[in-house]
């Protein structure tokens, strides 16, 4: 184990090949594309949360000059889709279940005509009762969001009941009996509002048919998922659909999954012209099946007087929204976060994913984690207070360490969580040095590593330059650029000599794309192997020329040399030129998926939500917060982060990920929350009213990495790092706010008004200090 | 749709006499049109390239700030920062550097939003709007100008050429303080401006106006009790109470009426305090929100 602490000035330079294009404006995003004869698309949305369609008449729209196609459910194949529970059609059929449900799509010669035609579509409906409140949705008397769900195709062992889409339980030991033996029992309720990924680029799609093949340029994080969605819904074979992703203006999970590519492809086919869709900011908030889920956490923990946790019971309700996006495993994920990285001998956590008439929920950066961690880590400070311990000492006593057993029976290999705690706390300094109305809040978090298949090709060209062809996707993080470094290191060349060919399903082998912190973890393993194949070929060529054994050849600094005799060497470019006239230097690899540990205690679709803890990523964040006691406005002044994410391969990228995750976490903590009206519709679907943090709000951030070589995970002992930094910040901010306010703020985001309101309450609920 | 680019005030007035509507930075008009609030007017006259509108002229008794002066100019102009500091405080909080570089004082005033940041400072500093047509000019007080949310008493052909503000006497200070949930790209949840003149250690005159708690910028009445005091705790409480009582806030996405009613008092109290300190000669940098309290840089 090593601890890495480097300042920004000391970080090695690393070239982001996509950087200059993006900064100078010469790069092309999907919305920048224009094709000959291209039309513009507009959707007609239901704009009502729950209703039965009584009339949908597109005839007036079809007759408008400049309109070349209007399509509805009647114009596409009869397919119910989405993973796990096939509860959805491309266009509304009979019943609409959230405001962003698409009734029809229009293609016209200008965006203005398309929007006017969409507005001219006659839509009449009979209102149905809106299911908006999460607890009310679970009542026996609640109206059903999906009345006929018996008829939906379901994959896996899904436990469901009325509006509960999936249920999962973590069970370890006899929690009730253990709870009865506790000296102190603390119960808390925490409620998190829904929030958004809010990428800076609203999504855009361009589709063009040539014969029976369609090419779709789209702002997706997951080109293969997008392709599979088009194939499934339009009933096309894989090799007739090609997805290309131009530069992507951020994703944060919001552009994962399959979204609107099929709608635009179907529209282009009907119009017999290329068609382009560009979302407005309002649509980007309202229509995608990706938002961060609202959540209720009821949590009870029993401890002994010496501060040892003996039992935990919890009940969770998670807002799935109207349709299944990818949230089926969220109950498992959320349960793991509410268990937390603690030694707890007896656990019973029941987690429900609940249908409502809201926008569907889906994987936004570290789904369920910021809210789950916020709840459990706020609760942990309450526990510490209840037994008279400091928050840090209570965690020292109860956190999991190397060799301990986690919530699902998995025993941990070497992990660095306790080291993260000590590093972050030490970095934050002494609480006695704090100013008035300031406090430090501590929180720990964890995040899984999702191991899935991925492939890569590599080729060294005649001049010694290298192309890596990967299904990885750049979504703003720069993680794909680490793939260049991995290939370069294998081949002993500079990363700048490696070009990535990516974001095109026709070129690259299958891979998960930019989702679930998998770029390095999964694509990295494939790239490493593909580059290694070329390295082996180079070593054999060099061995021939240098009269040595291939095993004695070292590739470094652009040359192949004999081990121990660096003077005996040959430039790789010379070998590459030789190969170009004979056996080409090509590598291809499919990275095998690491084995999952044996698990116990969950019932739900698959076990991805718990099994993926095979190489858990750990973190501790300490937030220094100041509160204006007169207004409740909180400001995060400093965040001290320490992370165990395995080996760090690209330090500057790693620091960037942590800093971005923290800033996003502060937004979730303080200002980012979706407000719903009684009608189930979003009230603040706009940048003015949905308040992201700005760079002016950014705190000073220190980041340290506890580097532990993690076998059987990512390349070179690495894990992912995209989501882990987004887990613990809101919880750390919560614990600092509670110290200053003297009260817990039990709803997320902890807005100024909520903080102020809590401070007006006279009784201290305990656990604040 | 047509747009004329004017290079002089006369060209602006001629175009408006013919029915054109003025556009300066477009930060309200264009953004509003793109958001579907109201379509762009059919006939526009661009006023952003009229040099005579972009000047600050300090006269013997008053200062004339051209309607085309941008927020970026206001926050750095020496005359504005020293004499009418509350306007600089407000200008520095508007939007982003991009908004401040194109958005103008005249545009902000004539847009007439009760959440406008420069409005309360103009009221407490006793500013008048100079409204001009091809037939001449007239001056109206800010309270006469604003008649409702987004509505002014100006006639369709009247163009706001300048804001004219009496030069403050010695020992005067002003400040604008705003409640903000984040430190950039923010809109006033509530805000308050104060202008104070001292006589020795005690207050000789004080005016306070409030942002975003009524259909228009609201001047707080009944502060006479402060005159002759040196603004300590009881007087601060009086300001806060008066502001809270006179405000008629709404509940919306940004805050509840109760929270607005409370925080407007806090802002009013702080605005007067900062204005007093400036009147005493203390250098509090612009904007107050970044110099003092929770929003402070350190």
């Amino acid at each position: 184990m090593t601890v890495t602490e480097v300042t920004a000035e000391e970080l090695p330079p690393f070239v982001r090949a996509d950087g200059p294009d993006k900064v100078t404006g010469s790069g092309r995003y999907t919305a920048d594309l224009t094709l000959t004869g291209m039309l513009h698309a507009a959707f007609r949305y239901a704009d009502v949360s729950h209703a039965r369609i009584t009339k949908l008449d597109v005839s007036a729209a079809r007759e408008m000059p400049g309109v070349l196609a209007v399509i509805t459910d009647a114009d596409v194949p009869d397919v119910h889709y989405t993973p796990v529970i096939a509860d959805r059609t491309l266009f509304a059929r009979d019943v609409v279940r959230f405001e962003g449900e698409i009734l029809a799509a229009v293609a016209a010669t200008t965006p203005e005509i398309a929007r006017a035609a969409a507005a001219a579509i006659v839509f009449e409906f009979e209102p149905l009762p809106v299911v908006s409140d999460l607890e009310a949705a679970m009542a026996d008397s609640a109206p059903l969001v999906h009345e006929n769900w018996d008829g939906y195709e379901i994959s896996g062992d899904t436990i469901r009941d009325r509006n509960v889409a999936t249920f999962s339980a973590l069970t370890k030991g006899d929690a009730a009996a253990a709870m009865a033996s506790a000296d102190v029992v603390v119960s808390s309720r925490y409620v998190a509002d829904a929030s958004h990924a809010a990428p800076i680029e609203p999504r855009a799609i361009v589709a063009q048919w040539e014969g029976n093949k369609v090419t779709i340029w789209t702002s997706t994080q997951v080109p293969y998922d997008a392709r599979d969605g088009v194939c499934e819904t339009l009933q096309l074979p894989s090799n007739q659909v090609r997805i290309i992703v131009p530069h992507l203006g951020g994703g944060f999970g919001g552009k994962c999954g399959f979204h609107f590519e099929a709608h635009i492809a179907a529209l282009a086919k009907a119009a017999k012209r290329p068609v382009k869709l560009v979302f407005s900011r309002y649509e980007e908030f309202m229509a995608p099946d990706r938002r961060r889920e609202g959540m209720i956490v009821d949590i009870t923990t029993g401890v002994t007087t010496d501060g040892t946790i003996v039992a935990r019971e919890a009940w969770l309700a998670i807002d799935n929204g109207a349709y299944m996006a990818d949230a089926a495993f969220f109950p498992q994920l959320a349960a793991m976060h509410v268990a937390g990285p603690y030694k707890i001998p007896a656990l019973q956590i029941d987690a429900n994913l609940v249908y409502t008439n809201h926008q569907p929920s889906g994987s936004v950066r570290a789904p369920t984690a910021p809210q789950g961690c916020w709840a459990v880590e706020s609760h942990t400070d309450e526990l510490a207070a209840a037994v008279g311990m400091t928050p840090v000492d209570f965690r020292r006593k109860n956190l999991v360490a190397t060799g301990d057993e986690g919530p699902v029976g998995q025993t941990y290999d070497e992990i660095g969580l306790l080291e993260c705690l000590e590093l972050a706390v030490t970095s934050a300094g002494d609480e006695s040095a704090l100013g008035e109305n300031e406090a430090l809040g501590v929180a720990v978090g964890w995040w899984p590593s999702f191991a899935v298949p991925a492939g890569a090709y590599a080729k060294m060209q005649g001049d010694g330059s290298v192309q890596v062809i990967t299904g990885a996707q750049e979504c703003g993080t720069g993680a794909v650029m680490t793939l260049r470094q991995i290939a370069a290191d294998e081949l002993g060349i500079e990363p700048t000599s490696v070009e990535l060919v990516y974001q095109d399903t026709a070129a690259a082998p299958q891979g998960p794309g930019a989702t679930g912190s998998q770029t390095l973890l999964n694509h990295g393993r494939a790239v490493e192997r593909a580059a290694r194949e070329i390295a082996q070929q180079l070593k054999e060529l060099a061995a021939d020329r240098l009269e040595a054994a291939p095993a004695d050849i070292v590739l470094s600094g652009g040359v192949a040399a004999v081990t121990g005799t660096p003077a005996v060497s040959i430039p790789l470019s010379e070998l590459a030129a030789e190969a170009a006239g004979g056996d080409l230097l090509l590598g291809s690899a499919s990275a095998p998926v690491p084995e999952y540990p044996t698990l116990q205690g969950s019932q739900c679709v698959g076990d991805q939500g718990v099994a993926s803890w095979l190489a858990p990523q750990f973190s501790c964040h300490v937030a220094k917060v100041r509160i204006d006691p007169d207004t409740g406005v909180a400001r995060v002044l400093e965040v001290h982060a320490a992370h165990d994410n395995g080996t760090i391969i690209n330090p500057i990228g790693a620091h960037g990920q942590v800093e971005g995750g923290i800033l996003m976490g502060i937004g979730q903590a303080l200002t980012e929350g979706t407000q719903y009206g009684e009608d189930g519709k979003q009230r603040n679907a706009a940048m003015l009213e949905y308040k992201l943090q700005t760079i002016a709000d950014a705190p000073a951030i220190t980041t340290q990495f506890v580097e532990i070589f993690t076998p059987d995970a990512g390349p070179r002992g690495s894990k992912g790092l995209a989501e882990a930094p987004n887990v613990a910040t809101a919880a750390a901010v919560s614990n600092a706010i509670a110290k200053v306010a003297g009260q817990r703020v039990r709803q997320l985001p902890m807005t100024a008004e909520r903080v102020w309101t809590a401070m007006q309450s006279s009784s201290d609920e305990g656990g604040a200090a | 749709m047509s747009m004329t680019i004017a290079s002089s005030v006369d060209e602006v007035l001629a175009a408006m006499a013919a029915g054109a509507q003025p556009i300066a930075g477009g930060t309200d008009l264009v953004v509003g049109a793109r958001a579907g609030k109201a379509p762009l007017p059919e006939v526009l006259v661009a006023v952003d390239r009229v040099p005579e509108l972009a000047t600050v002229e300090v006269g013997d008794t008053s200062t004339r700030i051209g309607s085309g002066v941008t927020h970026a100019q206001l926050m750095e102009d020496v005359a504005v920062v020293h004499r009418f500091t509350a306007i600089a405080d407000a200008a520095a909080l508007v939007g982003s550097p991009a908004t401040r570089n194109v958005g103008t004082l005249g545009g902000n005033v004539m847009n007439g939003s009760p959440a406008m940041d420069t409005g309360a400072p103009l009221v407490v500093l006793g500013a008048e709007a100079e409204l001009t047509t091809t037939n001449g000019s007239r001056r109206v007080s800010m309270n006469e100008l604003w008649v409702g949310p987004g509505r002014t008493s100006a006639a369709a052909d009247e163009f706001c050429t300048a804001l004219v503000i009496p030069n403050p006497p010695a020992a005067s200070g002003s400040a604008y303080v705003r409640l903000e949930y984040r430190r950039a790209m923010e809109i006033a949840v509530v805000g308050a401006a104060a202008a104070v003149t001292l006589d020795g250690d005690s207050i000789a005159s004080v005016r306070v106006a409030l942002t975003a708690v009524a259909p228009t910028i609201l001047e707080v009445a009944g502060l006479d009790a402060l005159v002759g005091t040196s603004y300590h705790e009881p007087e601060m409480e009086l300001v806060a109470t008066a502001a809270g009582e006179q405000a008629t806030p709404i509940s919306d996405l940004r805050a509840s009426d109760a929270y607005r009613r409370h925080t407007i008092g806090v802002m009013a109290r702080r605005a007067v305090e900062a204005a007093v300190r400036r009147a005493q000669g203390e250098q509090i940098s612009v904007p107050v929100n970044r110099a003092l309290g929770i929003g402070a840089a350190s």
Side-chain angles (χ1 to χ4, degrees):
Chain A
M1 184 187 90
T2 58
V3 175
T4 312
E5 183 176 24
V6 284
T7 65
E9 294 74 31
E10 293 166 338
L11 290 169
F14 189 76
V15 179
R16 275 198 62 164
D18 57 333
D21 281 1
K22 288 176 174 173
V23 171
T24 61
S26 67
R28 283 290 168 266
Y29 293 80
T30 306
D32 295 324
L33 299 181
T34 299
L35 301 178
T36 304
M38 189 177 79
L39 303 176
H40 299 270
F43 290 148
R44 173 65 185 266
Y45 298 101
D47 198 33
V48 57
S49 295
H50 200 190
R52 193 175 308 283
I53 301 170
T54 54
K55 185 176 187 183
L56 186 65
D57 182 355
V58 301
S59 53
R62 279 198 173 123
E63 283 157 24
M64 286 174 69
V67 173
L68 277 86
V70 181
I71 59 172
T72 67
D73 182 51
D75 303 296
V76 293
D78 178 10
V79 174
H80 275 78
Y81 72 98
T82 74
V84 184
I85 301 174
D87 57 8
R88 190 171 185 189
T89 51
L90 286 177
F91 294 95
R93 179 183 300 179
D94 303 332
V95 174
V96 295
R97 296 182 177 87
F98 81 106
E99 58 179 315
E101 188 136 5
I102 299 169
L103 301 172
V106 178
T109 49
T110 70
E112 290 78 14
I113 294 173
R115 285 195 287 268
I121 291 167
V122 177
F123 170 47
E124 292 173 6
F125 60 88
E126 167 201 331
L128 295 171
V130 174
V131 180
S132 185
D133 181 88
L134 203 45
E135 280 187 296
M138 295 181 70
D140 284 344
S141 57
L144 293 179
V145 175
H146 292 271
E147 279 188 358
N148 303 318
W149 59 256
D150 281 346
Y152 296 150
E153 200 175 306
I154 292 176
S155 59
D157 301 325
T158 303
I159 298 175
R160 55 170 307 167
D161 177 31
R162 296 182 58 78
N163 282 326
V164 175
T166 65
F167 168 82
S168 181
L170 278 188
T171 305
K172 184 178 185 183
D174 184 341
M179 193 70 77
S181 74
D183 298 321
V184 180
V185 174
V186 176
S187 293
S188 320
R189 162 166 283 213
Y190 288 94
V191 177
D193 293 348
S195 60
H196 284 273
I200 204 69
E201 175 208 25
R203 72 200 58 218
I205 297 168
V206 178
Q208 174 171 259
W209 289 83
E210 291 169 275
N212 63 359
K213 293 186 178 180
V214 63
T215 302
I216 305 171
W217 293 262
T218 176
S219 44
T220 181
Q221 291 175 242
V222 286
Y224 272 93
D225 275 6
R227 188 195 68 176
D228 293 348
V230 174
C231 292
E232 180 186 4
T233 53
L234 298 184
Q235 303 276 284
L236 294 167
S238 297
N239 57 13
Q240 285 179 18
V241 180
R242 178 182 184 186
I243 301 283
I244 300 174
V245 188
H247 280 319
L248 186 67
F252 307 100
K255 291 171 183 166
C256 288
F258 154 61
H259 293 287
F260 308 101
E261 290 85 3
H263 299 81
I264 302 307
L267 202 49
K269 182 150 201 164
K272 299 185 173 62
R273 298 252 212 122
V275 175
K276 177 186 197 172
L277 172 80
V278 180
F279 261 9
S280 68
R281 178 56 62 184
Y282 168 70
E283 288 173 295
E284 186 61 38
F285 270 106
M286 185 271 304
D289 57 4
R290 282 293 185 284
R291 63 162 183 164
R292 190 182 291 288
E293 54 293 333
M295 200 189 291
I296 300 172
V297 179
D298 281 335
I299 180 169
T300 298
T301 304
V303 291
T304 55
T305 47
D306 71 347
T308 305
I309 301 178
V310 296
R312 172 162 296 163
E313 292 173 329
W315 175 91
L316 280 66
I318 304 164
D319 185 355
N320 180 53
Y323 295 100
M324 183 60 69
D326 71 341
F329 72 113
F330 283 14
Q332 294 178 340
L333 268 184
M336 286 296 281
H337 288 292
V338 170
Y342 290 92
K343 293 174 286 191
I344 306 178
L347 268 176
Q348 181 64 43
I349 302 179
D350 294 341
N352 303 278
L353 182 73
V354 185
Y355 277 122
T356 62
N357 290 118
H358 294 156
Q359 174 185 30
S361 296
S363 289
V364 171
R365 195 178 193 175
T368 75
Q371 317 96 301
C373 181
W374 165 76
V376 77
E377 286 296 280
S378 299
H379 177 73
T380 299
D381 268 27
E382 295 183 285
L383 294 172
V387 293
M389 290 173 76
T390 69
V392 175
D393 281 344
F394 187 85
R395 286 176 174 80
R396 282 186 182 122
K397 191 176 185 79
N398 288 290
L399 288 177
V400 290
T402 304
D404 286 338
E405 190 188 78
V408 287
Q410 174 188 0
T411 301
Y412 297 110
D413 299 332
E414 189 183 1
I415 55 173
L417 175 57
L418 283 167
E419 289 78 4
C420 287
L421 175 71
E422 300 302 336
L423 284 170
V425 167
T426 303
S427 175
D430 197 344
E431 287 195 283
S432 64
L434 295 170
E436 203 182 352
N437 298 313
E438 290 179 0
L440 297 176
V442 180
V444 298
W446 62 353
W447 185 251
S449 298
F450 299 103
V452 302
Y457 303 133
K459 56 185 180 187
M460 183 174 271
Q461 302 167 118
D463 62 356
S465 66
V466 169
Q467 278 188 325
V468 168
I469 301 136
T470 167
Q473 166 66 41
E474 158 59 25
C475 73
T477 67
V480 292
M481 297 305 155
T482 307
L483 302 178
R484 300 166 79 207
Q485 190 176 339
I486 288 171
D489 289 352
E490 291 295 325
L491 294 165
I493 59 176
E494 289 299 313
T496 45
S497 301
V498 181
E499 186 203 13
L500 286 179
V501 178
Y502 59 129
Q503 313 191 155
D504 183 346
T505 57
Q510 178 125 6
T515 181
S517 307
Q518 297 181 52
T519 300
L520 179 58
L521 187 80
N522 292 318
H523 292 285
R525 288 183 292 117
V527 168
E528 181 181 53
R529 283 162 176 264
R532 206 171 273 167
E533 284 193 3
I534 296 179
Q536 187 55 35
Q537 294 163 45
L538 286 169
K539 285 177 182 176
E540 282 164 15
L541 283 174
D544 227 26
R545 296 275 293 267
L546 301 175
E547 297 179 348
D552 290 332
I553 302 293
V554 187
L555 307 181
S556 177
V559 301
V562 178
T563 309
T565 320
V568 183
S569 70
I570 185 166
L572 295 183
S573 56
E574 213 175 305
L575 298 176
E578 181 190 328
D583 277 346
L584 301 179
L585 294 170
L586 301 174
S588 69
S590 170
V593 177
E595 242 178 73
Y596 285 124
T598 308
L599 303 167
Q600 61 187 39
S602 177
Q603 311 135 10
C604 181
V605 275
D607 55 8
Q608 194 185 26
V610 288
S612 46
W613 254 261
L614 84 158
Q617 310 165 33
F618 296 96
S619 61
C620 178
H621 289 186
V622 180
K624 179 179 170 183
V625 176
R626 183 190 297 159
I627 293 181
D628 177 356
D630 293 334
T631 63
V633 173
R635 229 195 118 202
V636 181
L637 304 173
E638 297 170 13
V639 175
H640 300 267
H643 279 252
D644 165 8
N645 289 84
T647 308
I648 299 300
I649 296 176
N650 172 3
I652 200 165
H655 277 258
Q657 283 289 33
V658 173
E659 288 164 13
I662 286 170
L663 201 53
M664 197 167 173
I666 293 171
Q668 286 152 14
L670 300 178
T671 53
E672 290 187 49
T674 291
Q675 301 182 39
Y676 286 98
E678 298 267 312
D679 57 5
K681 291 164 67 171
Q682 294 183 43
R683 298 176 65 218
N684 58 334
M687 283 297 196
L688 185 59
E689 309 297 357
Y690 179 91
K691 293 198 188 292
L692 299 170
Q693 295 287 292
T694 72
I695 204 67
D697 302 294
I701 296 171
T702 64
T703 306
Q704 299 178 78
F705 291 106
V706 177
E707 293 202 57
I708 296 171
F709 183 93
T710 309
D712 210 22
R716 290 155 55 177
S718 64
K719 310 177 195 174
L721 185 55
E723 291 162 295
N726 195 212
V727 176
T729 311
V733 172
S734 168
N735 286 337
I737 286 176
K739 285 183 183 175
V740 180
Q743 298 291 333
R744 280 278 154 197
V745 182
R746 297 183 180 277
Q747 191 163 3
L748 202 63
M750 299 171 287
T751 60
E753 183 165 356
R754 286 173 179 166
V755 172
W756 179 76
T757 304
M759 290 175 80
Q760 304 314 300
S761 118
S762 54
S763 69
D764 189 349
E765 300 163 21
Chain B
M1 189 183 141
S2 76
M3 184 163 100
T4 309
I5 297 174
S7 55
S8 69
V9 170
D10 286 344
E11 285 179 24
V12 174
L13 300 177
M16 288 182 66
Q21 291 186 45
I23 179 166
T27 54
D28 286 309
L29 211 57
V30 177
V31 174
R34 292 188 66 169
K37 209 166 167 182
L40 279 179
E42 278 300 306
V43 187
L44 284 170
V45 54
V47 303
D48 60 323
R49 296 181 201 181
V50 180
E52 59 205 281
L53 292 174
T55 57
V56 178
E57 294 160 24
V58 182
D60 291 339
T61 58
S62 65
T63 297
R64 193 173 177 283
I65 304 178
S67 62
V69 172
T70 64
H71 293 91
Q73 280 176 274
L74 289 172
M75 61 190 273
E76 288 180 353
D77 184 276
V78 173
V80 174
V81 170
H82 283 270
R83 291 160 188 262
F84 313 110
T85 324
I87 295 177
D89 284 333
L93 293 179
V94 169
S96 65
T99 334
R100 294 194 290 268
N101 279 330
V102 295
T104 62
L105 181 62
N108 206 205
V109 165
M110 298 308 285
N111 188 53
S113 162
M116 66 182 290
D117 286 303
T118 57
L122 289 169
V123 168
V124 297
L125 292 165
E128 290 182 323
E130 181 184 271
L131 302 177
T132 310
T133 67
T134 48
N135 296 322
S137 284
R138 64 174 178 129
R139 285 188 190 174
V140 296
S141 72
M142 306 317 296
N143 289 332
E144 289 171 290
L145 181 69
W146 296 315
V147 296
R151 290 190 294 121
T152 72
S153 58
D157 63 342
E158 280 187 314
F159 176 61
C160 177
T161 35
L163 282 303
V164 182
I165 312 174
N167 292 335
S172 293
S174 66
Y176 176 71
V177 184
R178 184 176 88 174
L179 176 66
E180 49 186 3
Y181 299 148
R182 62 182 175 193
R183 286 155 48 95
M185 302 301 292
E186 186 60 305
I187 190 164
V189 182
V190 295
V196 169
T197 300
L198 297 179
D199 178 5
D201 285 337
S202 58
I203 291 174
S205 74
V206 56
R207 293 180 75 175
V208 174
L210 312 176
T211 309
V213 290
T216 60
I217 300 293
L218 177 72
E219 180 160 9
V220 179
L223 297 182
D224 302 341
L226 264 60
V227 173
T229 73
S230 51
Y231 200 65
H232 292 302
E233 193 51 43
E235 292 83 23
M236 293 186 192
E237 218 34 62
L238 188 149
V239 168
T241 306
E245 283 175 0
Q246 292 171 41
T248 55
I250 56 167
S251 284
D252 65 8
L253 290 166
R254 295 169 195 162
S256 71
D257 54 355
Y259 181 65
R260 274 202 172 92
R261 202 178 283 282
H262 165 74
T263 52
I264 193 61
V266 176
M267 295 303 120
R269 191 176 68 199
R270 289 179 181 175
V272 177
E273 185 187 350
V276 167
R277 285 165 62 178
R278 278 177 172 158
Q280 289 167 338
E282 188 178 337
Q283 297 295 317
I284 302 172
S285 62
V286 168
V288 173
N289 272 48
R290 296 287 168 274
L292 301 174
I294 183 67
S298 61

